[in-house]
């Protein structure tokens, strides 16, 4: 027997509301004070740490890590397609092969960095080449400077995985400090599953954009709650590695196919392929047309995850089918977050409408769902 289903989509706001110090603000405070000497030295020379330090100069309150990763990758995929980078090597006066590519990066970065127009507070883009040209992971060994764009991007990717490893370590420690976290998390999912639903036999699926695990003990009296961590789940500290993903949305890449593979590796779509190692042909799709209700809570609805929302809305055919969207939010710091949530939902639905093949339907998507009472934005008390 097929049951109607509801899909609950949660983001970091869910964990924060459950008492977990999971914000990047909390994480960076820990990075600055909680690392051992070796880890601190490695992090201090990490390219992404240097990027974030530049961003902080212009906006001390920023903490959107994936947005900044996206800005860097978007800049580099455009910059590195220029003809001036196509000669990777040259021979010096002694006949030794040198990195022409890196020499060009240094020359161009110095031209930008020392120009009268340079202003660190103005834009990150002005600093990216300079950060590469001076990064210790590249210039630490002058005899082995990178000779190709692919080498540079693979190093930046490797340095990103170190950031992921630190984040994995930090979140595990925070969960250990909060013994009630698992219980609170389960109760919050149960609460969300009961909202706006007049039937008790909906199968519940949870699509988590967090890394923290959500485990439910088997209950013979209710349908099982199925949880999927989109971007990986925290790896036990004893293993010393990480399966969690920080990355960019596929939509940031050039649409003409002129993209280096080493840049594709930064996309969440590519990296999540490695998390799907045990799929069988007998498994039903996690997202399918049995889903009648979609609930969002604690997700910023930002561009880094837009491709996921587009795929979900496409599969559920939200324009033509009776699918209900509920966007829940919580107020915090004694501030009404309603206006912010309305703006995010409006932007998400507008972006999705513009992606629809039928242009006229895309333009009136939000209006149609409002008239049919199929979309709601509500504070969670």
């Amino acid at each position: 027997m097929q049951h109607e289903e509801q899909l609950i989509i949660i983001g970091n706001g869910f964990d924060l509301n459950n008492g977990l110090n999971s914000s990047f603000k909390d994480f960076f405070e820990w990075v600055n004070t909680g690392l051992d000497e070796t880890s601190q030295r490695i992090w201090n020379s990490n390219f992404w740490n240097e990027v974030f330090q530049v961003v902080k100069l212009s906006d001390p309150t920023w903490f959107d890590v994936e947005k900044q990763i996206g800005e860097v990758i978007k800049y580099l995929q455009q910059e590195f397609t220029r003809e001036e980078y196509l000669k990777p090597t040259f021979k010096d006066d002694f006949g030794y092969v040198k990195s022409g590519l890196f020499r060009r990066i240094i020359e161009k970065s110095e031209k930008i960095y020392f120009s009268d127009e340079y202003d660190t507070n103005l834009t990150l883009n002005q600093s990216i080449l300079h950060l590469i040209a001076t990064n210790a992971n590249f210039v630490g060994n002058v005899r082995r400077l990178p000779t190709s764009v692919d080498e540079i991007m693979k190093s930046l990717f490797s340095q990103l995985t170190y950031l992921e490893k630190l984040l994995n370590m930090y979140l595990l420690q925070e969960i250990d400090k909060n013994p009630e976290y698992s219980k609170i998390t389960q109760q919050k999912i149960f609460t969300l599953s009961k909202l706006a639903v007049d039937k008790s036999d909906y199968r519940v699926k949870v699509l988590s954009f967090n890394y923290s695990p959500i485990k439910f003990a088997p209950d013979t009296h209710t349908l099982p709650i199925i949880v999927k961590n989109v971007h990986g789940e925290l790896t036990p500290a004893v293993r010393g590695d990480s399966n969690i993903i920080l990355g960019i949305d596929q939509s940031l890449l050039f649409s003409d196919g002129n993209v280096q593979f080493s840049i594709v590796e930064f996309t969440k779509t590519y990296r999540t392929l490695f998390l799907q190692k045990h799929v069988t042909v007998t498994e039903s799709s996690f997202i399918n047309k049995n889903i009648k209700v979609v609930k969002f809570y604690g997700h910023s609805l930002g561009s880094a995850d837009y491709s996921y929302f587009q795929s979900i809305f496409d599969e559920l055919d939200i324009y033509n089918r009776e699918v209900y969207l509920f966007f829940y939010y919580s107020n915090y710091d004694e501030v009404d977050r309603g206006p912010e949530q309305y703006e995010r939902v409006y932007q998400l639905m507008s972006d999705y409408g513009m992606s629809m093949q039928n242009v006229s339907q895309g333009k009136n998507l939000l209006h149609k769902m409002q008239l049919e009472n199929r979309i709601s934005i509500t504070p969670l008390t």
Side-chain angles (χ1 to χ4, degrees), residues 67-320:
K67 178 181 178 181
Q68 301 308 327
I69 294 172
E71 291 296 321
V72 171
I73 299 305
K74 188 165 62 172
Y75 173 85
L76 290 179
Q77 72 168 333
Q78 181 173 0
E79 179 68 21
F80 284 155
T81 56
R82 299 180 188 276
E83 188 174 350
E84 58 203 86
Y85 296 105
L86 296 183
K87 294 182 179 180
T89 61
F90 71 99
K91 290 187 177 181
D92 64 12
D93 295 338
F94 300 97
Y96 291 103
V97 175
K98 299 292 185 180
S99 175
L101 169 76
F102 209 77
R103 182 175 71 170
R104 178 57 187 148
I105 291 174
I106 293 174
E107 291 173 349
K108 190 165 184 178
S109 70
E110 289 179 345
K111 183 177 180 181
I112 297 173
Y113 193 72
F114 295 111
S115 69
D116 293 336
E117 292 78 20
Y118 180 82
D119 181 3
T120 304
N121 294 320
L122 183 62
T123 173
L124 172 63
N125 285 358
Q126 288 182 318
S127 301
I128 293 175
L129 288 181
H130 176 72
L131 293 179
I132 292 176
T134 58
N135 184 256
N137 291 279
F138 296 125
V139 299
N141 183 359
V142 294
R143 295 184 178 181
R144 188 63 186 90
L145 294 175
T147 59
S148 69
V149 169
D150 189 61
E151 283 187 62
I152 291 175
M153 298 308 299
K154 285 189 178 301
S155 176
L156 299 188
F157 181 76
S158 176
Q159 294 179 66
L160 178 62
T161 61
Y162 187 74
L163 169 59
E164 295 168 344
K165 181 179 178 180
L166 292 180
L167 181 59
N168 187 97
M169 187 189 312
Y170 168 72
L171 290 174
L172 285 174
Q173 292 182 18
E174 288 303 306
I175 290 176
D176 286 343
K177 293 178 185 176
N178 192 341
E180 295 296 310
Y181 169 76
S182 180
K183 180 180 178 181
I184 294 171
T185 296
Q186 292 178 32
Q187 186 56 53
K188 184 62 68 64
I189 293 295
F190 282 128
T191 299
L192 286 167
S193 70
K194 303 299 182 184
L195 295 175
V197 175
D198 58 2
K199 292 187 291 186
S200 60
D201 61 344
Y202 271 97
R203 184 186 299 275
V204 179
K205 291 180 175 178
V206 179
L207 192 65
S208 175
F209 284 82
N210 302 328
Y211 309 116
S212 46
I214 303 177
K215 306 297 183 184
F216 290 93
D219 186 341
T220 58
H221 301 291
T222 61
L223 293 172
I225 295 178
I226 305 171
V227 181
K228 181 174 183 178
N229 290 76
V230 183
H231 297 139
E233 190 175 302
L234 296 176
T235 305
V238 291
R239 286 179 48 182
D241 57 4
S242 171
N243 284 328
I244 66 176
I245 292 173
L246 291 169
I248 65 173
D249 190 75
Q250 187 85 11
S251 62
L252 286 179
L253 300 182
F254 288 153
S255 58
D256 59 4
N258 187 23
V259 182
Q260 297 100 328
F261 180 73
S262 53
I263 288 181
V264 174
E265 288 183 288
F266 285 86
T267 66
K268 293 179 177 180
T269 302
Y270 174 80
R271 297 192 64 196
T272 51
L273 285 173
F274 292 92
L275 300 178
Q276 296 180 305
K277 298 178 179 179
H278 306 293
V279 176
T280 67
V281 294
T282 59
E283 293 180 355
S284 60
S285 173
F286 191 84
I287 307 299
N288 58 59
K289 288 186 168 55
N290 293 327
I291 295 173
K292 305 298 182 185
V293 175
V294 183
K295 299 173 181 176
F296 296 80
Y297 179 65
H299 198 293
S300 66
L301 309 179
S303 59
D305 294 321
Y306 173 72
S307 289
Y308 293 101
F309 302 139
Q310 182 180 18
S311 297
I312 291 169
F313 292 167
D314 282 348
E315 174 62 27
L316 301 184
D317 191 10
I318 63 171
Y319 186 90
N320 295 303

